[in-house]
Amino acid sequence: MGFLYGFSCCFQSSSGDRGTRILEEQPSSIISQLCRQFSLSEMQSATNNFHNSLKVGEGSFGNVYKGYLENSSTPVAIKRCKKDSVFGLSSLKNEVVLLSQLQHPNLISLVGFCIEGTELVLVYDYMSNGSIRDHLHRGNIDPLPWKRRLQICIGVARALHYLHTGAKYTIIHRNIKTRLILLDSNWEPKVSSLLLSKRGALSTSKSLTRVKSDVKGTLGYLDPEYYNTSMLTEKSDVFSFGIVLLEVVSAKRAKEVNGEYFQGFNQSLRSYANEIVDAILKSKIDSDCWKTFVDITKRCLLLEGRERPDMGEVEVSQIGIMLLKCISFPVSKKTSSSKNHSPTVIELLCHQFSLEDLKRSTNNFNQKLIVGKGGFSTVYKGCLKHNGGSDHTIALKLKCCNSNQHFLEFMKEIELLCQLIILI
Ligand SMILES: Nc1ncnc2c1ncn2[C@@H]1O[C@H](COP(=O)(O)OP(=O)(O)OP(=O)(O)O)[C@@H](O)[C@H]1O
């Protein structure tokens, strides 16, 4: 396990695996059909010529800037490839082809890209709360509460489950880590960067995808089985997710928890987890919830990939149950705007829009946008920016709640549906 120490950078071997990187042979014209292509001058004016004061992060691809596109007051994140980056045009194409076709509330949205001269730039929705890593490793300054940490983990599990099973082919992220778990203004997690991702077998295939591949990823999070055999499976993401769980509960760095846990091999995860749990979480975690959390983390970290649960199992049977155990608030009569009240299940699991937003999205419930009618409801087609992100086409059901009975049924439907999303 010595390899797990000392590094936290993302690495790629020099030989690469050019032949198998997802869709890297796509010509540029195809990616420009998939997603908006910006000119370099648009990128320069959005970032005041890539001004240092607008830099919000730096990674193996290059610097990340906060910028504003022309005529827009919504910020975007602009990632400019550095000259000596291990990534290049094929990685950018990989990112564009995948992110412009995949859509999930817990996956980062790509706004566009720029290829001009030697410049390669990617543009994403801006995540105003940075990465979860930023919040875990800054001492006791505004530490994230336990429930928020859990909700973030659940969101990541959902995104991974979607990548593994939601498209025609399994997509293995290969670089799951807390730096790439970004948080929007509502603390909703977004898994970012598919730059290293690999395509596996048809996602309907019952057997585990095994892809021969040069070892790539981030030390501290790397699946030891993949590291030793160069055989990649979606269970490598499950291992990295297990390290994320340990990091989230301990607020210690990945290479530390990974190294210590596997070094103290005779130690059970339960006693190790008890030892390292973040001081501010002590006594705040319900014992059943803790048991479930430790159990799922332990299974994600099993040395043999095929013994680890798949992300569907992690999401559904473990984290879903854990969430419901840990966040079991009754439906409150208070509105979300009232201060100092415990959030309701609805408020925790589901976004509450203002009536103004909904009116704007349907042009004030314009008749022309009606797509269906039922006994007590009318359905409109609308267009909405969710979480300050890009536009989404939505179906909006306007219900007539003209009696207390109708209102209670309406609340019950939301409460059930937002929990079923987690359970199904
Ligand atoms: N969409 C975004 N919105 C806000 N901040 C972002 C966004 N994307 C990246 N950042 C910031 O920039 C940092 C670096 O991002 P990047 O995607 O390069 O991650 P990385 O960990 O360096 O990845 P790699 O493994 O590719 O080196 C992030 O940790 C985050 O703080």
Side-chain angles (χ1 to χ4, degrees), residues 361-374 377-383 394-398:
S361 76
T362 53
N363 199 6
N364 205 9
F365 300 111
N366 191 318
Q367 299 278 322
K368 289 187 187 142
L369 295 175
I370 293 178
V371 290
K373 273 190 174 181
S377 57
T378 309
V379 183
Y380 296 80
K381 183 177 177 185
C383 185
I394 53 155
L396 186 150
K397 197 189 236 183
L398 183 66

mmCIF file with all atom_site columns, all heavy atoms in Angstrom, residues 361-374 377-383 394-398:
data_model
loop_
_atom_site.group_PDB
_atom_site.id
_atom_site.type_symbol
_atom_site.label_atom_id
_atom_site.label_alt_id
_atom_site.label_comp_id
_atom_site.label_asym_id
_atom_site.label_entity_id
_atom_site.label_seq_id
_atom_site.pdbx_PDB_ins_code
_atom_site.Cartn_x
_atom_site.Cartn_y
_atom_site.Cartn_z
_atom_site.occupancy
_atom_site.B_iso_or_equiv
_atom_site.pdbx_formal_charge
_atom_site.auth_seq_id
_atom_site.auth_comp_id
_atom_site.auth_asym_id
_atom_site.auth_atom_id
_atom_site.pdbx_PDB_model_num
ATOM 1   N N   . SER A 1 361 ? -41.036 31.159 -16.147 1.00 0.00 ? 361 SER A N   1
ATOM 2   C CA  . SER A 1 361 ? -40.681 30.004 -16.985 1.00 0.00 ? 361 SER A CA  1
ATOM 3   C C   . SER A 1 361 ? -41.811 29.623 -17.940 1.00 0.00 ? 361 SER A C   1
ATOM 4   O O   . SER A 1 361 ? -41.584 28.931 -18.924 1.00 0.00 ? 361 SER A O   1
ATOM 5   C CB  . SER A 1 361 ? -40.310 28.815 -16.109 1.00 0.00 ? 361 SER A CB  1
ATOM 6   O OG  . SER A 1 361 ? -41.464 28.257 -15.572 1.00 0.00 ? 361 SER A OG  1
ATOM 7   N N   . THR A 1 362 ? -43.058 30.040 -17.646 1.00 0.00 ? 362 THR A N   1
ATOM 8   C CA  . THR A 1 362 ? -44.183 29.654 -18.509 1.00 0.00 ? 362 THR A CA  1
ATOM 9   C C   . THR A 1 362 ? -44.850 30.886 -19.130 1.00 0.00 ? 362 THR A C   1
ATOM 10  O O   . THR A 1 362 ? -46.002 30.808 -19.563 1.00 0.00 ? 362 THR A O   1
ATOM 11  C CB  . THR A 1 362 ? -45.259 28.906 -17.687 1.00 0.00 ? 362 THR A CB  1
ATOM 12  O OG1 . THR A 1 362 ? -45.596 29.720 -16.554 1.00 0.00 ? 362 THR A OG1 1
ATOM 13  C CG2 . THR A 1 362 ? -44.805 27.553 -17.241 1.00 0.00 ? 362 THR A CG2 1
ATOM 14  N N   . ASN A 1 363 ? -44.077 31.983 -19.138 1.00 0.00 ? 363 ASN A N   1
ATOM 15  C CA  . ASN A 1 363 ? -44.629 33.222 -19.688 1.00 0.00 ? 363 ASN A CA  1
ATOM 16  C C   . ASN A 1 363 ? -45.993 33.518 -19.050 1.00 0.00 ? 363 ASN A C   1
ATOM 17  O O   . ASN A 1 363 ? -46.997 33.669 -19.732 1.00 0.00 ? 363 ASN A O   1
ATOM 18  C CB  . ASN A 1 363 ? -44.716 33.076 -21.213 1.00 0.00 ? 363 ASN A CB  1
ATOM 19  C CG  . ASN A 1 363 ? -44.837 34.413 -21.898 1.00 0.00 ? 363 ASN A CG  1
ATOM 20  O OD1 . ASN A 1 363 ? -44.734 35.444 -21.233 1.00 0.00 ? 363 ASN A OD1 1
ATOM 21  N ND2 . ASN A 1 363 ? -45.062 34.391 -23.195 1.00 0.00 ? 363 ASN A ND2 1
ATOM 22  N N   . ASN A 1 364 ? -45.980 33.515 -17.726 1.00 0.00 ? 364 ASN A N   1
ATOM 23  C CA  . ASN A 1 364 ? -47.171 33.762 -16.914 1.00 0.00 ? 364 ASN A CA  1
ATOM 24  C C   . ASN A 1 364 ? -48.313 32.767 -17.217 1.00 0.00 ? 364 ASN A C   1
ATOM 25  O O   . ASN A 1 364 ? -49.453 33.149 -17.443 1.00 0.00 ? 364 ASN A O   1
ATOM 26  C CB  . ASN A 1 364 ? -47.647 35.206 -17.102 1.00 0.00 ? 364 ASN A CB  1
ATOM 27  C CG  . ASN A 1 364 ? -48.426 35.668 -15.884 1.00 0.00 ? 364 ASN A CG  1
ATOM 28  O OD1 . ASN A 1 364 ? -48.448 34.962 -14.867 1.00 0.00 ? 364 ASN A OD1 1
ATOM 29  N ND2 . ASN A 1 364 ? -49.062 36.801 -15.994 1.00 0.00 ? 364 ASN A ND2 1
ATOM 30  N N   . PHE A 1 365 ? -47.932 31.493 -17.210 1.00 0.00 ? 365 PHE A N   1
ATOM 31  C CA  . PHE A 1 365 ? -48.885 30.391 -17.473 1.00 0.00 ? 365 PHE A CA  1
ATOM 32  C C   . PHE A 1 365 ? -49.670 30.643 -18.778 1.00 0.00 ? 365 PHE A C   1
ATOM 33  O O   . PHE A 1 365 ? -50.899 30.583 -18.821 1.00 0.00 ? 365 PHE A O   1
ATOM 34  C CB  . PHE A 1 365 ? -49.827 30.180 -16.279 1.00 0.00 ? 365 PHE A CB  1
ATOM 35  C CG  . PHE A 1 365 ? -49.089 29.844 -15.019 1.00 0.00 ? 365 PHE A CG  1
ATOM 36  C CD1 . PHE A 1 365 ? -49.017 30.732 -13.946 1.00 0.00 ? 365 PHE A CD1 1
ATOM 37  C CD2 . PHE A 1 365 ? -48.418 28.633 -14.903 1.00 0.00 ? 365 PHE A CD2 1
ATOM 38  C CE1 . PHE A 1 365 ? -48.299 30.417 -12.800 1.00 0.00 ? 365 PHE A CE1 1
ATOM 39  C CE2 . PHE A 1 365 ? -47.704 28.313 -13.742 1.00 0.00 ? 365 PHE A CE2 1
ATOM 40  C CZ  . PHE A 1 365 ? -47.652 29.200 -12.707 1.00 0.00 ? 365 PHE A CZ  1
ATOM 41  N N   . ASN A 1 366 ? -48.883 30.895 -19.807 1.00 0.00 ? 366 ASN A N   1
ATOM 42  C CA  . ASN A 1 366 ? -49.462 31.198 -21.117 1.00 0.00 ? 366 ASN A CA  1
ATOM 43  C C   . ASN A 1 366 ? -50.199 29.976 -21.679 1.00 0.00 ? 366 ASN A C   1
ATOM 44  O O   . ASN A 1 366 ? -49.665 28.860 -21.690 1.00 0.00 ? 366 ASN A O   1
ATOM 45  C CB  . ASN A 1 366 ? -48.308 31.607 -22.041 1.00 0.00 ? 366 ASN A CB  1
ATOM 46  C CG  . ASN A 1 366 ? -48.796 32.192 -23.327 1.00 0.00 ? 366 ASN A CG  1
ATOM 47  O OD1 . ASN A 1 366 ? -49.754 31.683 -23.907 1.00 0.00 ? 366 ASN A OD1 1
ATOM 48  N ND2 . ASN A 1 366 ? -48.154 33.263 -23.750 1.00 0.00 ? 366 ASN A ND2 1
ATOM 49  N N   . GLN A 1 367 ? -51.436 30.207 -22.153 1.00 0.00 ? 367 GLN A N   1
ATOM 50  C CA  . GLN A 1 367 ? -52.279 29.125 -22.719 1.00 0.00 ? 367 GLN A CA  1
ATOM 51  C C   . GLN A 1 367 ? -51.557 28.345 -23.818 1.00 0.00 ? 367 GLN A C   1
ATOM 52  O O   . GLN A 1 367 ? -51.746 27.138 -23.956 1.00 0.00 ? 367 GLN A O   1
ATOM 53  C CB  . GLN A 1 367 ? -53.534 29.756 -23.352 1.00 0.00 ? 367 GLN A CB  1
ATOM 54  C CG  . GLN A 1 367 ? -54.418 30.534 -22.403 1.00 0.00 ? 367 GLN A CG  1
ATOM 55  C CD  . GLN A 1 367 ? -55.347 29.617 -21.639 1.00 0.00 ? 367 GLN A CD  1
ATOM 56  O OE1 . GLN A 1 367 ? -55.840 28.660 -22.195 1.00 0.00 ? 367 GLN A OE1 1
ATOM 57  N NE2 . GLN A 1 367 ? -55.544 29.885 -20.368 1.00 0.00 ? 367 GLN A NE2 1
ATOM 58  N N   . LYS A 1 368 ? -50.730 29.090 -24.585 1.00 0.00 ? 368 LYS A N   1
ATOM 59  C CA  . LYS A 1 368 ? -50.069 28.441 -25.725 1.00 0.00 ? 368 LYS A CA  1
ATOM 60  C C   . LYS A 1 368 ? -49.079 27.370 -25.271 1.00 0.00 ? 368 LYS A C   1
ATOM 61  O O   . LYS A 1 368 ? -48.644 26.535 -26.047 1.00 0.00 ? 368 LYS A O   1
ATOM 62  C CB  . LYS A 1 368 ? -49.315 29.483 -26.546 1.00 0.00 ? 368 LYS A CB  1
ATOM 63  C CG  . LYS A 1 368 ? -50.220 30.400 -27.317 1.00 0.00 ? 368 LYS A CG  1
ATOM 64  C CD  . LYS A 1 368 ? -49.393 31.275 -28.230 1.00 0.00 ? 368 LYS A CD  1
ATOM 65  C CE  . LYS A 1 368 ? -50.300 32.313 -28.880 1.00 0.00 ? 368 LYS A CE  1
ATOM 66  N NZ  . LYS A 1 368 ? -49.663 33.601 -29.018 1.00 0.00 ? 368 LYS A NZ  1
ATOM 67  N N   . LEU A 1 369 ? -48.683 27.455 -23.992 1.00 0.00 ? 369 LEU A N   1
ATOM 68  C CA  . LEU A 1 369 ? -47.686 26.494 -23.510 1.00 0.00 ? 369 LEU A CA  1
ATOM 69  C C   . LEU A 1 369 ? -48.332 25.292 -22.814 1.00 0.00 ? 369 LEU A C   1
ATOM 70  O O   . LEU A 1 369 ? -47.642 24.438 -22.269 1.00 0.00 ? 369 LEU A O   1
ATOM 71  C CB  . LEU A 1 369 ? -46.709 27.191 -22.555 1.00 0.00 ? 369 LEU A CB  1
ATOM 72  C CG  . LEU A 1 369 ? -45.850 28.280 -23.221 1.00 0.00 ? 369 LEU A CG  1
ATOM 73  C CD1 . LEU A 1 369 ? -44.993 29.013 -22.196 1.00 0.00 ? 369 LEU A CD1 1
ATOM 74  C CD2 . LEU A 1 369 ? -44.934 27.660 -24.279 1.00 0.00 ? 369 LEU A CD2 1
ATOM 75  N N   . ILE A 1 370 ? -49.668 25.203 -22.850 1.00 0.00 ? 370 ILE A N   1
ATOM 76  C CA  . ILE A 1 370 ? -50.344 24.053 -22.219 1.00 0.00 ? 370 ILE A CA  1
ATOM 77  C C   . ILE A 1 370 ? -50.112 22.799 -23.066 1.00 0.00 ? 370 ILE A C   1
ATOM 78  O O   . ILE A 1 370 ? -50.291 22.821 -24.282 1.00 0.00 ? 370 ILE A O   1
ATOM 79  C CB  . ILE A 1 370 ? -51.868 24.317 -22.073 1.00 0.00 ? 370 ILE A CB  1
ATOM 80  C CG1 . ILE A 1 370 ? -52.085 25.450 -21.059 1.00 0.00 ? 370 ILE A CG1 1
ATOM 81  C CG2 . ILE A 1 370 ? -52.597 23.050 -21.644 1.00 0.00 ? 370 ILE A CG2 1
ATOM 82  C CD1 . ILE A 1 370 ? -53.542 25.835 -20.853 1.00 0.00 ? 370 ILE A CD1 1
ATOM 83  N N   . VAL A 1 371 ? -49.633 21.732 -22.410 1.00 0.00 ? 371 VAL A N   1
ATOM 84  C CA  . VAL A 1 371 ? -49.407 20.482 -23.148 1.00 0.00 ? 371 VAL A CA  1
ATOM 85  C C   . VAL A 1 371 ? -50.362 19.381 -22.704 1.00 0.00 ? 371 VAL A C   1
ATOM 86  O O   . VAL A 1 371 ? -50.389 18.296 -23.286 1.00 0.00 ? 371 VAL A O   1
ATOM 87  C CB  . VAL A 1 371 ? -47.938 19.997 -23.022 1.00 0.00 ? 371 VAL A CB  1
ATOM 88  C CG1 . VAL A 1 371 ? -46.997 20.891 -23.784 1.00 0.00 ? 371 VAL A CG1 1
ATOM 89  C CG2 . VAL A 1 371 ? -47.500 19.885 -21.560 1.00 0.00 ? 371 VAL A CG2 1
ATOM 90  N N   . GLY A 1 372 ? -51.131 19.620 -21.663 1.00 0.00 ? 372 GLY A N   1
ATOM 91  C CA  . GLY A 1 372 ? -52.094 18.602 -21.230 1.00 0.00 ? 372 GLY A CA  1
ATOM 92  C C   . GLY A 1 372 ? -52.971 19.123 -20.103 1.00 0.00 ? 372 GLY A C   1
ATOM 93  O O   . GLY A 1 372 ? -52.603 20.086 -19.415 1.00 0.00 ? 372 GLY A O   1
ATOM 94  N N   . LYS A 1 373 ? -54.143 18.472 -19.946 1.00 0.00 ? 373 LYS A N   1
ATOM 95  C CA  . LYS A 1 373 ? -55.041 18.884 -18.865 1.00 0.00 ? 373 LYS A CA  1
ATOM 96  C C   . LYS A 1 373 ? -55.614 17.655 -18.175 1.00 0.00 ? 373 LYS A C   1
ATOM 97  O O   . LYS A 1 373 ? -55.893 16.656 -18.844 1.00 0.00 ? 373 LYS A O   1
ATOM 98  C CB  . LYS A 1 373 ? -56.205 19.702 -19.436 1.00 0.00 ? 373 LYS A CB  1
ATOM 99  C CG  . LYS A 1 373 ? -55.898 21.174 -19.549 1.00 0.00 ? 373 LYS A CG  1
ATOM 100 C CD  . LYS A 1 373 ? -57.135 21.968 -19.887 1.00 0.00 ? 373 LYS A CD  1
ATOM 101 C CE  . LYS A 1 373 ? -56.797 23.446 -19.851 1.00 0.00 ? 373 LYS A CE  1
ATOM 102 N NZ  . LYS A 1 373 ? -57.887 24.308 -20.122 1.00 0.00 ? 373 LYS A NZ  1
ATOM 103 N N   . GLY A 1 374 ? -55.756 17.714 -16.862 1.00 0.00 ? 374 GLY A N   1
ATOM 104 C CA  . GLY A 1 374 ? -56.386 16.621 -16.134 1.00 0.00 ? 374 GLY A CA  1
ATOM 105 C C   . GLY A 1 374 ? -57.552 17.188 -15.336 1.00 0.00 ? 374 GLY A C   1
ATOM 106 O O   . GLY A 1 374 ? -57.871 18.382 -15.476 1.00 0.00 ? 374 GLY A O   1
ATOM 107 N N   . SER A 1 377 ? -55.669 19.471 -12.698 1.00 0.00 ? 377 SER A N   1
ATOM 108 C CA  . SER A 1 377 ? -54.377 20.087 -12.999 1.00 0.00 ? 377 SER A CA  1
ATOM 109 C C   . SER A 1 377 ? -54.210 20.387 -14.482 1.00 0.00 ? 377 SER A C   1
ATOM 110 O O   . SER A 1 377 ? -54.840 19.759 -15.334 1.00 0.00 ? 377 SER A O   1
ATOM 111 C CB  . SER A 1 377 ? -53.249 19.181 -12.518 1.00 0.00 ? 377 SER A CB  1
ATOM 112 O OG  . SER A 1 377 ? -53.384 17.922 -13.118 1.00 0.00 ? 377 SER A OG  1
ATOM 113 N N   . THR A 1 378 ? -53.340 21.348 -14.756 1.00 0.00 ? 378 THR A N   1
ATOM 114 C CA  . THR A 1 378 ? -52.993 21.713 -16.127 1.00 0.00 ? 378 THR A CA  1
ATOM 115 C C   . THR A 1 378 ? -51.475 21.613 -16.243 1.00 0.00 ? 378 THR A C   1
ATOM 116 O O   . THR A 1 378 ? -50.754 22.050 -15.336 1.00 0.00 ? 378 THR A O   1
ATOM 117 C CB  . THR A 1 378 ? -53.413 23.178 -16.415 1.00 0.00 ? 378 THR A CB  1
ATOM 118 O OG1 . THR A 1 378 ? -54.771 23.304 -16.019 1.00 0.00 ? 378 THR A OG1 1
ATOM 119 C CG2 . THR A 1 378 ? -53.259 23.530 -17.879 1.00 0.00 ? 378 THR A CG2 1
ATOM 120 N N   . VAL A 1 379 ? -50.983 21.019 -17.350 1.00 0.00 ? 379 VAL A N   1
ATOM 121 C CA  . VAL A 1 379 ? -49.528 20.852 -17.497 1.00 0.00 ? 379 VAL A CA  1
ATOM 122 C C   . VAL A 1 379 ? -49.024 21.805 -18.581 1.00 0.00 ? 379 VAL A C   1
ATOM 123 O O   . VAL A 1 379 ? -49.565 21.870 -19.683 1.00 0.00 ? 379 VAL A O   1
ATOM 124 C CB  . VAL A 1 379 ? -49.167 19.389 -17.845 1.00 0.00 ? 379 VAL A CB  1
ATOM 125 C CG1 . VAL A 1 379 ? -47.660 19.220 -17.930 1.00 0.00 ? 379 VAL A CG1 1
ATOM 126 C CG2 . VAL A 1 379 ? -49.740 18.429 -16.807 1.00 0.00 ? 379 VAL A CG2 1
ATOM 127 N N   . TYR A 1 380 ? -47.976 22.574 -18.222 1.00 0.00 ? 380 TYR A N   1
ATOM 128 C CA  . TYR A 1 380 ? -47.366 23.537 -19.148 1.00 0.00 ? 380 TYR A CA  1
ATOM 129 C C   . TYR A 1 380 ? -45.952 23.082 -19.497 1.00 0.00 ? 380 TYR A C   1
ATOM 130 O O   . TYR A 1 380 ? -45.277 22.447 -18.693 1.00 0.00 ? 380 TYR A O   1
ATOM 131 C CB  . TYR A 1 380 ? -47.229 24.916 -18.482 1.00 0.00 ? 380 TYR A CB  1
ATOM 132 C CG  . TYR A 1 380 ? -48.541 25.556 -18.138 1.00 0.00 ? 380 TYR A CG  1
ATOM 133 C CD1 . TYR A 1 380 ? -49.242 25.189 -16.997 1.00 0.00 ? 380 TYR A CD1 1
ATOM 134 C CD2 . TYR A 1 380 ? -49.082 26.552 -18.952 1.00 0.00 ? 380 TYR A CD2 1
ATOM 135 C CE1 . TYR A 1 380 ? -50.453 25.783 -16.675 1.00 0.00 ? 380 TYR A CE1 1
ATOM 136 C CE2 . TYR A 1 380 ? -50.293 27.156 -18.633 1.00 0.00 ? 380 TYR A CE2 1
ATOM 137 C CZ  . TYR A 1 380 ? -50.969 26.764 -17.493 1.00 0.00 ? 380 TYR A CZ  1
ATOM 138 O OH  . TYR A 1 380 ? -52.156 27.350 -17.176 1.00 0.00 ? 380 TYR A OH  1
ATOM 139 N N   . LYS A 1 381 ? -45.514 23.469 -20.699 1.00 0.00 ? 381 LYS A N   1
ATOM 140 C CA  . LYS A 1 381 ? -44.098 23.284 -21.033 1.00 0.00 ? 381 LYS A CA  1
ATOM 141 C C   . LYS A 1 381 ? -43.404 24.591 -20.661 1.00 0.00 ? 381 LYS A C   1
ATOM 142 O O   . LYS A 1 381 ? -43.904 25.674 -20.997 1.00 0.00 ? 381 LYS A O   1
ATOM 143 C CB  . LYS A 1 381 ? -43.956 23.012 -22.532 1.00 0.00 ? 381 LYS A CB  1
ATOM 144 C CG  . LYS A 1 381 ? -42.523 22.739 -22.960 1.00 0.00 ? 381 LYS A CG  1
ATOM 145 C CD  . LYS A 1 381 ? -42.476 22.401 -24.430 1.00 0.00 ? 381 LYS A CD  1
ATOM 146 C CE  . LYS A 1 381 ? -41.031 22.213 -24.855 1.00 0.00 ? 381 LYS A CE  1
ATOM 147 N NZ  . LYS A 1 381 ? -40.886 21.998 -26.274 1.00 0.00 ? 381 LYS A NZ  1
ATOM 148 N N   . GLY A 1 382 ? -42.299 24.501 -19.940 1.00 0.00 ? 382 GLY A N   1
ATOM 149 C CA  . GLY A 1 382 ? -41.617 25.727 -19.529 1.00 0.00 ? 382 GLY A CA  1
ATOM 150 C C   . GLY A 1 382 ? -40.116 25.606 -19.667 1.00 0.00 ? 382 GLY A C   1
ATOM 151 O O   . GLY A 1 382 ? -39.584 24.548 -20.037 1.00 0.00 ? 382 GLY A O   1
ATOM 152 N N   . CYS A 1 383 ? -39.445 26.667 -19.351 1.00 0.00 ? 383 CYS A N   1
ATOM 153 C CA  . CYS A 1 383 ? -37.978 26.680 -19.450 1.00 0.00 ? 383 CYS A CA  1
ATOM 154 C C   . CYS A 1 383 ? -37.464 27.358 -18.188 1.00 0.00 ? 383 CYS A C   1
ATOM 155 O O   . CYS A 1 383 ? -37.859 28.474 -17.871 1.00 0.00 ? 383 CYS A O   1
ATOM 156 C CB  . CYS A 1 383 ? -37.591 27.465 -20.694 1.00 0.00 ? 383 CYS A CB  1
ATOM 157 S SG  . CYS A 1 383 ? -35.853 27.391 -20.964 1.00 0.00 ? 383 CYS A SG  1
ATOM 158 N N   . ILE A 1 394 ? -38.880 22.045 -18.863 1.00 0.00 ? 394 ILE A N   1
ATOM 159 C CA  . ILE A 1 394 ? -39.597 21.359 -17.770 1.00 0.00 ? 394 ILE A CA  1
ATOM 160 C C   . ILE A 1 394 ? -41.073 21.172 -18.125 1.00 0.00 ? 394 ILE A C   1
ATOM 161 O O   . ILE A 1 394 ? -41.598 21.878 -18.994 1.00 0.00 ? 394 ILE A O   1
ATOM 162 C CB  . ILE A 1 394 ? -39.519 22.168 -16.453 1.00 0.00 ? 394 ILE A CB  1
ATOM 163 C CG1 . ILE A 1 394 ? -39.990 23.621 -16.695 1.00 0.00 ? 394 ILE A CG1 1
ATOM 164 C CG2 . ILE A 1 394 ? -38.128 22.152 -15.869 1.00 0.00 ? 394 ILE A CG2 1
ATOM 165 C CD1 . ILE A 1 394 ? -40.506 24.286 -15.459 1.00 0.00 ? 394 ILE A CD1 1
ATOM 166 N N   . ALA A 1 395 ? -41.690 20.206 -17.465 1.00 0.00 ? 395 ALA A N   1
ATOM 167 C CA  . ALA A 1 395 ? -43.150 20.098 -17.507 1.00 0.00 ? 395 ALA A CA  1
ATOM 168 C C   . ALA A 1 395 ? -43.634 20.590 -16.151 1.00 0.00 ? 395 ALA A C   1
ATOM 169 O O   . ALA A 1 395 ? -43.163 20.127 -15.104 1.00 0.00 ? 395 ALA A O   1
ATOM 170 C CB  . ALA A 1 395 ? -43.565 18.650 -17.719 1.00 0.00 ? 395 ALA A CB  1
ATOM 171 N N   . LEU A 1 396 ? -44.503 21.548 -16.158 1.00 0.00 ? 396 LEU A N   1
ATOM 172 C CA  . LEU A 1 396 ? -44.940 22.158 -14.905 1.00 0.00 ? 396 LEU A CA  1
ATOM 173 C C   . LEU A 1 396 ? -46.430 21.864 -14.707 1.00 0.00 ? 396 LEU A C   1
ATOM 174 O O   . LEU A 1 396 ? -47.250 22.148 -15.571 1.00 0.00 ? 396 LEU A O   1
ATOM 175 C CB  . LEU A 1 396 ? -44.694 23.660 -15.031 1.00 0.00 ? 396 LEU A CB  1
ATOM 176 C CG  . LEU A 1 396 ? -44.937 24.524 -13.817 1.00 0.00 ? 396 LEU A CG  1
ATOM 177 C CD1 . LEU A 1 396 ? -44.011 25.712 -13.881 1.00 0.00 ? 396 LEU A CD1 1
ATOM 178 C CD2 . LEU A 1 396 ? -46.364 24.985 -13.750 1.00 0.00 ? 396 LEU A CD2 1
ATOM 179 N N   . LYS A 1 397 ? -46.743 21.209 -13.598 1.00 0.00 ? 397 LYS A N   1
ATOM 180 C CA  . LYS A 1 397 ? -48.133 20.833 -13.355 1.00 0.00 ? 397 LYS A CA  1
ATOM 181 C C   . LYS A 1 397 ? -48.753 21.848 -12.387 1.00 0.00 ? 397 LYS A C   1
ATOM 182 O O   . LYS A 1 397 ? -48.296 21.957 -11.240 1.00 0.00 ? 397 LYS A O   1
ATOM 183 C CB  . LYS A 1 397 ? -48.153 19.433 -12.742 1.00 0.00 ? 397 LYS A CB  1
ATOM 184 C CG  . LYS A 1 397 ? -49.493 18.752 -12.804 1.00 0.00 ? 397 LYS A CG  1
ATOM 185 C CD  . LYS A 1 397 ? -49.420 17.474 -11.964 1.00 0.00 ? 397 LYS A CD  1
ATOM 186 C CE  . LYS A 1 397 ? -49.782 16.248 -12.718 1.00 0.00 ? 397 LYS A CE  1
ATOM 187 N NZ  . LYS A 1 397 ? -49.772 15.051 -11.862 1.00 0.00 ? 397 LYS A NZ  1
ATOM 188 N N   . LEU A 1 398 ? -49.729 22.588 -12.854 1.00 0.00 ? 398 LEU A N   1
ATOM 189 C CA  . LEU A 1 398 ? -50.408 23.574 -11.999 1.00 0.00 ? 398 LEU A CA  1
ATOM 190 C C   . LEU A 1 398 ? -51.655 22.905 -11.440 1.00 0.00 ? 398 LEU A C   1
ATOM 191 O O   . LEU A 1 398 ? -52.563 22.538 -12.185 1.00 0.00 ? 398 LEU A O   1
ATOM 192 C CB  . LEU A 1 398 ? -50.779 24.804 -12.838 1.00 0.00 ? 398 LEU A CB  1
ATOM 193 C CG  . LEU A 1 398 ? -51.436 25.949 -12.100 1.00 0.00 ? 398 LEU A CG  1
ATOM 194 C CD1 . LEU A 1 398 ? -50.466 26.572 -11.096 1.00 0.00 ? 398 LEU A CD1 1
ATOM 195 C CD2 . LEU A 1 398 ? -51.890 27.028 -13.082 1.00 0.00 ? 398 LEU A CD2 1
#
